[in-house]
Amino acid sequence: MPHSETSTIAIPDEAHAASHHKHEKHAEEPRPGHITFTDSTRGDRDLTLTRTRTHESHNDNRPDLSFPFGTTDLARGGFTDEYRAISETGFMPADLALRPVPSHVYRLPQALADPEKARELKQMKLVTWKENDPEDPRNWSTLYRWYITAVCAIAVVQVAFASAVITGDFRDIEHEFHVGEVVTALSVSLMVVGFGIGPLAWSPLSELYGRRPIWIIPSVIYVIFNIPCAVAKNIQTLLICRFFCGIFASAPLTLAGGTISDVWDNNERGLAIALFAAAPYGGPVLGPIVGGFVGETVGWRWILWVNMIFAGVVTAFTMTIPETFAPVLLRKRAQMLRETTGDTTITTEQELFKASLTQIITETLLRPFQMIVTEPILLLMSMYIALIYGLLYAFFFSYPVVFGENYAWNDGMVGVTFCSVLIGVALAIFVTPRIERDYLRRAAEKGGRADPEDRLPGMMIGCWFVPISLFIFGWTSPPAVMPGGGNWVGPVSSGIPFGFGMVIIYFSANAYLIDAFPGYVASALAAKTVIRSGSGAAMPLFITAMYHNLGNGWAASTWAFISAAMIPIPFLFYRYGRAIRARSKRAAA
């Protein structure tokens, strides 16, 4: 069973009253793997820092996605390894646990910079995991952790599926409500808008109250909002309820990556993160496949009933996910220890440096947009991810034009054509763990400290497949290649390189943003999510008209040229990313 390496802090009982003789003894007989802080560095305390190989695949140099970025006052407390460290006593001294936020600008946490606050901090004990702690999610059985991972991935697939499943029978919705195709397309766009708005609330709430309540409550509400969608008497009801479906369905999109990071250490989660990276892109592809046949046989309302049943079953499984967020688990332990021992110095960093409501709002709603304006890495990477995500939703409207109108296939058969995209996604799932292993090799060659740019080779591979797929789609479709015989193979097969390229690009770009902004992960990912959702919401509103007016060849080629223009981005950042980060106040040094 794979393990990971974490820091183990061994604090002797007499640590706070050590004698000078003991210092001399440690100096004469050093123990391998131990670091002793002398009187000159840590006052009168003798603290031994032991590095124990309990989980051999943990890397302390990489961002900890289990850290409560959005609800901790980083200016006062900085960062800590409390949530990943393991100690023999279950505690670590607060003043030794804090470190500056990793960025190009070195800022000592205010709690350490102020001598008076530092003296107070010296008395505080941060709660940590113990050796082989059964409550530590990383110590749960491999099978159980894979079960949690599978539930997370399926939950993401379900909500992504829901956004596109309604495209299976747009014609009946247009006829029943007497509306045009653009208005009907809003049923997709508004739900995707909800995907962008919801995480702005669910992310900080999950840090404050834990992941489990946010897994359950929004998901139950999302299931309920499917009912008015299915029984809607007018288009307004359908569109409004689809929007609220998007807001509440976005909870799994917010939580899945963090939950996977809770149960797998950062150097052992390659395949798990590959599944998570593929889920938001594979899920929408399943929607038209199912929706096409359901809409054709029993009508568009049953598409929404089927979606509600699927959502209900998945929600039932998410209720089996226990709390996995280390800050919340350790905070509960600290509260229990304070009650049982009466020791008020027992605490966690999140309790010591809890962010105010104003700071949380700033971190969640303002800083992401500030970073978009001031950080070229974040802006261009988010734009690239947004383009790929938007093109995925563009396929949901361009395929019906080519195969529904030109080939005269029914909705069910049009939906089947999306299987080619699933094939590409499946291929990417096998490749992404290999990309992760290549990254770990690069990190090992650099002494365990890889640059964020070492995340980009995967993106440099995947970026070519998207424009290729669009050129294939455009120039093997009518009128360039007229229907007949096996001519459908050309445009259908274009989905394979697209599905492969989009997952590889997203996997690498997302990892690059996390590593490039380790101190501002929450804001960087929030900015990416908003831009991505905006693109996915906009595409359905004009793609059909674009293909009608420009023709299949030139409409697809337009997007192919745009995606080809994005190809230099990973190469330029691979070459100049370090220099760009050096000019940033928030990027990693």
Side-chain angles (χ1 to χ4, degrees):
M1 184 176 73
H3 296 293
S4 60
E5 181 182 23
T6 52
S7 299
T8 299
I9 311 295
I11 307 174
D13 294 335
E14 64 272 37
H16 294 282
S19 66
H20 180 69
H21 172 72
K22 193 163 186 177
H23 285 297
E24 293 179 347
K25 182 177 179 180
H26 276 288
E28 294 170 359
E29 302 177 7
R31 296 172 61 188
H34 286 62
I35 301 173
T36 302
F37 295 97
T38 64
D39 288 339
S40 61
T41 57
R42 293 297 182 188
D44 61 350
R45 297 183 301 166
D46 176 22
L47 296 165
T48 306
L49 179 64
T50 308
R51 196 158 185 78
T52 303
R53 298 188 65 79
T54 53
H55 296 272
E56 68 181 18
S57 62
H58 181 73
N59 186 343
D60 294 335
N61 298 320
R62 294 170 59 185
D64 180 9
L65 298 185
S66 291
F67 188 87
F69 294 94
T71 55
T72 300
D73 188 344
L74 299 180
R76 286 195 297 137
F79 266 24
T80 178
D81 293 323
E82 173 193 6
Y83 308 118
R84 290 297 187 183
I86 298 174
S87 65
E88 295 175 1
T89 60
F91 304 106
M92 63 192 304
D95 61 327
L96 300 185
L98 304 184
R99 55 188 171 89
V101 174
S103 69
H104 181 67
V105 180
Y106 183 90
R107 292 191 181 92
L108 194 66
Q110 294 173 6
L112 295 179
D114 186 321
E116 183 176 347
K117 293 179 180 178
R119 281 194 297 271
E120 296 176 358
L121 196 63
K122 185 184 296 186
Q123 309 305 320
M124 306 305 294
K125 294 177 289 188
L126 300 186
V127 177
T128 69
W129 300 117
K130 294 184 177 181
E131 295 283 354
N132 301 314
D133 199 318
E135 295 182 13
D136 184 350
R138 297 167 300 165
N139 289 333
W140 297 343
S141 71
T142 301
L143 181 62
Y144 187 46
R145 289 186 293 162
W146 272 115
Y147 168 77
I148 293 173
T149 301
V151 173
C152 291
I154 292 173
V156 173
V157 167
Q158 199 291 313
V159 300
F161 166 92
S163 67
V165 68
I166 198 170
T167 63
D169 193 11
F170 268 3
R171 284 178 293 186
D172 284 348
I173 296 176
E174 294 170 10
H175 293 157
E176 180 168 339
F177 294 136
H178 308 289
V179 294
E181 59 187 20
V182 175
V183 175
T184 307
L186 284 171
S187 61
V188 174
S189 296
L190 289 175
M191 187 165 187
V192 178
V193 168
F195 288 170
I197 295 175
L200 300 178
W202 307 135
S203 180
L205 286 174
S206 68
E207 291 185 5
L208 290 172
Y209 302 107
R211 304 205 197 276
R212 180 170 166 76
I214 310 303
W215 268 116
I216 296 174
I217 297 172
S219 296
V220 170
I221 298 174
Y222 156 58
V223 172
I224 294 172
F225 263 106
N226 276 275
I227 298 174
C229 289
V231 300
K233 301 299 182 183
N234 52 61
I235 191 66
Q236 294 90 336
T237 301
L238 176 62
L239 298 182
I240 292 171
C241 291
R242 286 282 289 178
F243 171 68
F244 283 108
C245 277
I247 290 178
F248 292 104
S250 67
L253 299 177
T254 308
L255 300 175
T259 301
I260 292 172
S261 298
D262 292 341
V263 299
W264 301 101
D265 253 318
N266 52 19
N267 282 352
E268 66 180 352
R269 63 175 77 120
L271 180 58
I273 290 296
L275 294 174
F276 167 68
Y281 294 89
V285 178
L286 290 171
I289 299 174
V290 175
F293 284 109
V294 172
E296 183 185 2
T297 54
V298 290
W300 70 269
R301 294 184 185 276
W302 265 100
I303 292 177
L304 297 169
W305 288 123
V306 168
N307 182 65
M308 188 189 76
I309 294 170
F310 186 15
V313 171
V314 171
T315 299
F317 277 100
T318 61
M319 291 180 179
T320 66
I321 298 178
E323 183 56 65
T324 60
F325 193 41
V328 169
L329 293 172
L330 293 176
R331 187 175 70 218
K332 292 179 179 178
R333 178 178 290 186
Q335 292 170 347
M336 180 190 69
L337 289 172
R338 286 196 298 267
E339 292 174 359
T340 56
T341 66
D343 187 351
T344 58
T345 64
I346 299 175
T347 186
T348 64
E349 191 205 25
Q350 193 183 33
E351 291 177 293
L352 277 177
F353 306 111
K354 186 176 181 179
S356 66
L357 179 59
T358 301
Q359 290 173 318
I360 293 174
I361 292 174
T362 299
E363 180 73 25
T364 305
L365 300 180
L366 299 181
R367 182 169 290 134
F369 301 100
Q370 292 174 349
M371 291 179 64
I372 289 173
V373 175
T374 59
E375 302 291 345
I377 291 177
L378 178 59
L379 175 62
L380 292 177
M381 281 294 171
S382 297
M383 288 177 61
Y384 205 156
I385 293 173
L387 173 67
I388 303 305
Y389 193 65
L391 288 174
L392 174 62
Y393 280 87
F395 270 121
F396 300 146
F397 293 83
S398 58
Y399 269 39
V401 171
V402 171
F403 299 109
E405 297 178 13
N406 300 145
Y407 279 81
W409 290 357
N410 60 40
D411 291 338
M413 288 301 297
V414 171
V416 171
T417 60
F418 288 97
C419 288
S420 62
V421 182
L422 283 179
I423 294 173
V425 170
L427 292 174
I429 291 176
F430 286 101
V431 172
T432 45
R434 289 168 173 78
I435 294 174
E436 180 72 7
R437 284 197 292 272
D438 177 71
Y439 167 80
L440 297 178
R441 178 186 61 79
R442 291 168 181 267
E445 291 175 353
K446 296 181 178 181
R449 291 184 176 273
D451 294 319
E453 287 71 32
D454 289 320
R455 289 293 192 180
L456 294 175
M459 199 174 178
M460 293 155 69
I461 295 171
C463 63
W464 303 95
F465 289 89
V466 174
I468 289 173
S469 70
L470 291 166
F471 281 126
I472 293 174
F473 179 69
W475 297 108
T476 59
S477 299
V481 178
M482 296 304 293
N487 291 348
W488 57 269
V489 173
V492 168
S493 64
S494 67
I496 297 175
F498 179 79
F500 177 81
M502 73 173 176
V503 173
I504 297 296
I505 290 171
Y506 176 75
F507 175 82
S508 299
N510 198 62
Y512 180 53
L513 289 179
I514 292 172
D515 286 359
F517 300 99
Y520 301 90
V521 171
S523 296
L525 296 184
K528 176 213 69 176
T529 300
V530 170
I531 295 177
R532 182 186 71 176
S533 299
S535 175
M539 287 288 191
L541 302 179
F542 60 83
I543 286 297
T544 302
M546 185 177 181
Y547 273 77
H548 286 160
N549 295 329
L550 295 181
N552 297 330
W554 285 109
S557 295
T558 298
W559 292 110
F561 287 127
I562 294 173
S563 58
M566 294 283 197
I567 288 176
I569 290 178
F571 293 91
L572 290 173
F573 283 141
Y574 189 78
R575 176 65 178 82
Y576 301 106
R578 177 189 287 266
I580 294 172
R581 288 188 288 109
R583 293 176 173 83
S584 168
K585 293 182 179 180
R586 297 186 177 96

